[in-house]
Amino acid sequence: MDLRHWLSSAADEIGAWQREFGDFERHPAPAVTDGDFAEAFAELAGRLRDNYPFFHPRYAAQMLKPPHPAAVVGYLAAMLVNPNNHALDGGPATARMEREVVAALASMFGYTEHLGHLTTSGTVANLEALFVARETHPGRGVAYSEDAHYTHGRMCHLLGVPSFPVATDGAGRMDLQALETLLRTGRVGTVVMTAGTTGLGAIDPIDQALGFRERHDVRVHVDGAYGGFFTLIADDSADGVPAAPFRAIASCDSVVVDPHKHGLQPYGCGAVLFRDPAVGRFYKHDSPYTYFTSEELHLGEISLECSRAGASAAALWLTLRVLPLDPGGLGAVLRPGRRAVLRWTELLAGSEVLAPYQSPELDIVSYLPRAARLSEMDRMSVRMMEAGMAAPPAEAVFLATYGVGAAALAARGHRLTADVPTGRILRSVLMKPESEAWVETLHAEVEKLAVAAG
Ligand SMILES: *Cc1c(COP(=O)(O)O)cnc(C)c1O
């Protein structure tokens, strides 16, 4: 699809709708001449060059990529109206689109009933899930793995709930024995299982943790902010991901997924889903300035946030119209990244200068320069990252670092002298399907960086 064509179609369509309401005089106060605008815009365009090329397979660092053109066009079209999805009165069309996309997300996870909505981020979505958890399990804390997203601890603090980080195993997954020991104390009311950790892409054993629900009377919340969409390829196939943990999400109490990570959306789009619609009672509020003109569900009644961009819902709705939540739609966009990490891990295992840190479960690769001492590994990783970024654009390689401890390295069979307690390895999120065709090039370039850093 031609982005420029569809961007102007979006402006034309909204303009045509606006003209139906008749002419009126525009106030001069916000008017800007083309000349003045051109100058300001040129400055903006210049300043935006100070960015990393998230769109290019040379960028193999953090979880960043531009949105799909369909999302850009959908967002722009709705933004020209600027609906607020707090209430149907803020924009009926996008509020209904939000309910449709949320229903699609719920059925992707296998929820037969649900209550949920979009949020501005995964952090806020998790906050809502933990808020509801505090209400259903008052006086008890929240457990999550040591490798869970850092915001769980922060949000527990905000909610005034005790939090309990649980040890991870040699693959970065929550250690269920450590969890059970903790649950026996009775101090935990909610367990957060991460479906794809932000650092390593490790998948906590959600299916096995479900057994604790009745035994210890706990809620199970799944943080699928990064990995949730991999449910679409959770089929145990060679280029898919394991089915069991993803299938278990259907039986968990709540789940979070970030369309602004693997759902091809611009930032400002997370989602929280509850399996029991009755949790809506915890959001009850009343104020003199909000009113609801119909009995239909208003999203502001089940959200901690008030104003939210209707444009986010329109963008996601339009994207899912063309790339639906099935293996042939968005699933086919995820598989190449999975194949890319598997191929790269093979290449890393055969390398004389690099080694894979562990086997990847999603589309995130972690690896280290072969070094004798931990301090040397750290210094080389940082040099490689810096040298890769400093090269001219057509030769640059963008990598990220990841901090690990000596015990975590040893648990994965890496024999380095621990002359310092922690150090950095390298990490690449291969979330663009284009990475698959680039992986040999990427490996060769990263090997060169390792040789130069040695
Ligand atoms: C990214 C991420 C979050 C936080 O989501 P934001 O949208 O960045 O606020 C939470 N959990 C996991 C597992 C993540 O990867």
Side-chain angles (χ1 to χ4, degrees):
M1 58 174 282
D2 174 9
L3 178 65
R4 287 162 49 148
H5 167 77
W6 291 109
L7 282 176
S8 53
S9 291
D12 292 347
E13 290 293 335
I14 301 301
W17 170 74
Q18 289 175 335
R19 281 192 295 280
E20 289 175 22
F21 295 88
D23 266 349
F24 63 101
E25 203 178 321
R26 295 279 179 176
H27 197 279
V32 176
T33 66
D34 268 329
D36 286 349
F37 185 74
E39 207 177 300
F41 184 76
E43 195 177 326
L44 174 77
R47 292 182 69 157
L48 286 178
R49 297 182 68 89
D50 179 18
N51 256 310
Y52 302 108
F54 307 130
F55 69 98
H56 199 287
R58 289 190 175 284
Y59 184 84
Q62 307 281 9
M63 25 186 80
L64 290 158
K65 66 174 178 179
H68 192 279
V72 177
V73 173
Y75 200 101
L76 177 92
M79 185 175 59
L80 291 170
V81 181
N82 206 21
N84 182 338
N85 272 15
H86 169 66
L88 283 165
D89 313 275
T94 50
R96 290 192 181 110
M97 287 178 204
E98 177 164 344
R99 285 168 50 188
E100 288 172 37
V101 296
V102 167
L105 291 171
S107 64
M108 172 177 82
F109 289 119
Y111 279 11
T112 46
E113 273 193 303
H114 73 276
L115 185 84
H117 60 89
L118 301 179
T119 60
T120 49
S121 70
T123 301
V124 171
N126 279 316
L127 170 65
E128 294 209 10
L130 296 183
F131 157 69
V132 165
R134 185 190 70 183
E135 303 302 297
T136 62
H137 288 66
R140 291 160 72 195
V142 175
Y144 44 78
S145 96
E146 275 170 354
D147 280 8
H149 200 265
Y150 75 92
T151 51
H152 291 293
R154 175 184 285 180
M155 292 305 157
C156 285
H157 181 55
L158 181 72
L159 290 165
V161 197
S163 58
F164 302 91
V166 179
T168 51
D169 64 15
R173 307 177 189 135
M174 188 190 278
D175 178 337
L176 289 183
Q177 257 171 358
L179 175 65
E180 178 139 48
T181 305
L182 173 65
L183 293 183
R184 284 208 201 92
T185 65
R187 292 162 71 199
V188 170
T190 301
V191 178
V192 177
M193 300 299 283
T194 304
T197 56
T198 315
L200 300 172
I203 304 163
D204 282 344
I206 304 168
D207 45 323
Q208 294 166 50
L210 270 176
F212 296 148
R213 229 172 69 207
E214 272 66 45
R215 208 177 321 150
H216 297 286
D217 177 35
V218 288
R219 269 181 91 79
V220 179
H221 167 64
V222 175
D223 181 0
Y226 185 72
F229 286 108
F230 283 86
T231 301
L232 299 171
I233 59 164
D235 57 2
D236 294 323
S237 67
D239 59 356
V241 296
F246 287 94
R247 213 170 284 143
I249 298 176
S251 309
C252 295
D253 297 285
S254 51
V255 57
V256 156
V257 62
D258 261 359
H260 69 203
K261 281 187 182 148
H262 255 308
L264 309 173
Q265 300 306 296
Y267 282 114
C269 196
V272 61
L273 303 159
F274 297 97
R275 196 169 55 117
D276 174 12
V279 300
R281 68 188 183 280
F282 299 122
Y283 289 94
K284 280 270 174 300
H285 70 282
D286 196 14
S287 71
Y289 38 81
T290 54
Y291 63 92
F292 298 119
T293 49
S294 70
E295 288 302 307
E296 230 181 301
L297 176 73
H298 295 260
L299 292 155
E301 291 173 282
I302 53 150
S303 168
L304 288 184
E305 295 174 273
C306 180
S307 299
R308 286 175 311 110
S312 288
L316 183 56
W317 185 90
L318 187 60
T319 308
L320 297 186
R321 275 282 279 114
V322 290
L323 291 167
L325 295 176
D326 57 43
L330 188 60
V333 182
L334 300 182
R335 275 193 208 277
R338 181 78 191 122
R339 288 193 292 265
V341 301
L342 292 172
R343 175 70 188 129
W344 198 9
T345 303
E346 264 173 31
L347 293 168
L348 288 163
S351 170
E352 277 171 21
V353 288
L354 296 166
Y357 176 64
Q358 65 169 47
S359 29
E361 291 189 86
L362 293 181
D363 56 0
I364 301 174
V365 199
S366 45
Y367 48 101
L368 49 145
R370 292 189 192 268
R373 290 183 313 278
L374 222 153
S375 63
E376 191 188 338
M377 172 201 82
D378 178 77
R379 189 176 42 77
M380 285 176 73
S381 297
V382 173
R383 267 200 203 157
M384 288 170 67
M385 179 177 76
E386 288 174 355
M389 290 198 300
E395 291 157 35
V397 190
F398 298 85
L399 309 173
T401 58
Y402 181 71
V404 297
L409 282 160
R412 290 160 176 84
H414 299 290
R415 282 190 286 276
L416 290 93
T417 307
D419 58 338
V420 289
T422 61
R424 283 159 288 184
I425 61 168
L426 291 156
R427 165 177 166 269
S428 289
V429 181
L430 302 188
M431 69 191 307
K432 294 179 288 275
E434 290 77 11
S435 293
E436 188 181 9
W438 192 262
V439 79
E440 318 272 335
T441 310
L442 183 61
H443 177 69
E445 291 183 346
V446 176
E447 272 199 322
K448 265 191 241 160
L449 290 170
V451 170

